Amino acid sequence: MILPGALTPTEVKTAWDAGADIVKVFPCGNVGGPKYIKALKGPFPHIEMNPTGGVNLDTTADFLRAGACSVAVGGELIDAATIKAGKYEVFTERAKQYIALIQKTRAEMAA
């Protein structure tokens, strides 16, 4: 799987043309979030996009509805304070919340 990062429309197209399976759009949250993915999907409906940056439990469904094929989560899933506290089970619970939200959103979109 090749998943290069890109931000501008030119970079997204260049990454896709170079053979990307999915283009990671980063930092997506800083440039409009789901609205930016939707704007990119206009001229590039065939390009699979994975937003990174600004993805959290409040925005995940919006990113998927905007046309993202998947999402990437970093600090919203794994954080230093929880690691320091040794509460690693929190990460499993957070991951389960994301999985449930993604499954629910995809089911709604398919209906």
Side-chain angles (χ1 to χ4, degrees), residues 61 64-65 99-111:
L64 295 173
R65 287 188 203 106
I99 290 168
L101 177 59
I102 290 166
Q103 290 173 336
K104 178 180 181 247
T105 303
R106 286 184 174 159
E108 291 170 356
M109 291 169 56

Side-chain angles (χ1 to χ4, degrees), residues 42-64:
F44 306 127
H46 59 290
I47 296 179
E48 299 288 2
M49 297 180 205
N50 175 288
T52 306
V55 178
N56 57 50
L57 288 170
D58 293 327
T59 61
T60 293
D62 293 333
F63 276 116
L64 295 173

